Amino acid sequence: MTRTHFKFAALVVLLLATVPTWAQNAVTGQMEKVKGKVSLVRGQAAPALLHNSDAVQVGDEILTDRKSSANLRMPDGSTVQIYPNSHVVLRPGTGNFKEFLNLLLGNVRVQIEKLSGRPNPKSMTTPTAIIAVRGTIFHVAVNQDGDTQVGVDKGLVSVANLLHPEDEVMVKPGYMVSVRRGQQPTQPQMMNQMMPGMMGSGMSGMSGMGQGMGTRSTGGMGSRGTMGPKP
């Protein structure tokens, strides 16, 4: 190896050493504020408990029971707060609106960070809806039937039926929409009760959807059969 090649190799090693391990492995995110028994299901491996700073990857499933919750931080700084009785699947992030999350059941609060002041196009799905954002704060709730409600705290969110993504409804702060199987989203309406995780001034949230979600426990580890329908 020539001296030039040796110096280049040494530089690469040095640069990799300064990158967090979870970024080196090209993982989807890192767990924070893990409370209670939060479970990870990865492929065919046995379910395992998640802890603070654990890395998660595309395809991983994260499950919370009725007494557990956690935050997921993505490499771009965006965060997902996962509430009790929830089941989420991490997506690969491809296409114009990079899909990063599938919420099968429960409640999440999502904060998408802008990229150097510019929009950060992302999307997430539920059993009945596709939700597209460019940098905003919003909350999504999914019940046992797959019915979805989306409330917006900040920014603008596009919501459409998963089977008809071209028929989108735009939702602005303080408003919410509902999506049921085989139906288009309702017209936006002002929220009149607080959704979990909503903090907007003057916003009071969702009409009972958030508090009524997940009355049946996800069962923690290894109980994917009770998670509700998958798309």
Side-chain angles (χ1 to χ4, degrees):
M1 179 183 292
T2 67
R3 177 173 299 183
T4 299
H5 288 165
F6 177 82
K7 288 182 178 180
F8 177 76
L11 178 60
V12 170
V13 172
L14 180 62
L15 289 174
L16 286 176
T18 64
V19 178
T21 302
W22 61 285
Q24 290 183 39
N25 294 335
V27 300
T28 299
Q30 187 176 38
M31 302 305 299
E32 299 179 338
K33 299 181 180 179
V34 176
K35 297 180 180 179
K37 295 182 178 180
V38 179
S39 305
L40 169 73
V41 177
R42 178 175 293 167
Q44 300 302 313
L49 290 178
L50 284 167
H51 304 89
N52 287 329
S53 300
D54 281 352
V56 289
Q57 304 173 1
V58 168
D60 285 351
E61 301 182 43
I62 301 173
L63 294 79
T64 58
D65 62 21
R66 63 188 181 88
K67 294 184 178 180
S68 61
S69 62
N71 281 7
L72 167 65
R73 180 172 295 276
M74 292 174 281
D76 64 4
S78 299
T79 57
V80 179
Q81 187 170 355
I82 306 170
Y83 288 91
N85 288 325
S86 296
H87 181 188
V88 303
V89 182
L90 304 184
R91 293 299 200 191
T94 58
N96 293 332
F97 274 83
K98 296 181 178 180
E99 183 185 349
F100 68 100
L101 194 74
N102 183 11
L103 174 63
L104 298 178
L105 178 70
N107 296 264
V108 296
R109 177 184 182 269
V110 180
Q111 180 167 343
I112 302 298
E113 296 293 336
K114 292 184 176 181
L115 298 174
S116 301
R118 296 176 297 175
N120 184 7
K122 287 183 180 292
S123 68
M124 62 171 287
T125 57
T126 74
T128 54
I130 180 169
I131 303 146
V133 298
R134 285 185 171 86
T136 190
I137 302 174
F138 62 98
H139 184 94
V140 183
V142 177
N143 67 14
Q144 294 284 349
D145 296 323
D147 297 339
T148 301
Q149 290 192 322
V150 182
V152 179
D153 191 0
K154 182 179 179 181
L156 194 65
V157 171
S158 164
V159 181
N161 186 286
L162 189 62
L163 299 179
H164 302 282
E166 69 280 359
D167 297 325
E168 63 181 11
V169 173
M170 304 304 295
V171 189
K172 61 184 181 180
Y175 285 77
M176 55 79 64
V177 296
S178 302
V179 186
R180 297 179 181 273
R181 290 188 182 276
Q183 300 180 13
Q184 296 302 316
T186 61
Q187 289 302 307
Q189 56 183 295
M190 293 188 67
M191 295 186 285
N192 54 27
Q193 289 184 5
M194 181 68 73
M195 283 185 79
M198 280 297 188
M199 303 183 302
S201 58
M203 265 200 317
S204 38
M206 211 52 97
S207 55
M209 179 73 168
Q211 285 81 357
M213 293 293 299
T215 54
R216 181 173 64 186
S217 172
T218 62
M221 292 169 39
S223 300
R224 285 185 289 171
T226 63
M227 287 299 103
K230 289 189 177 184

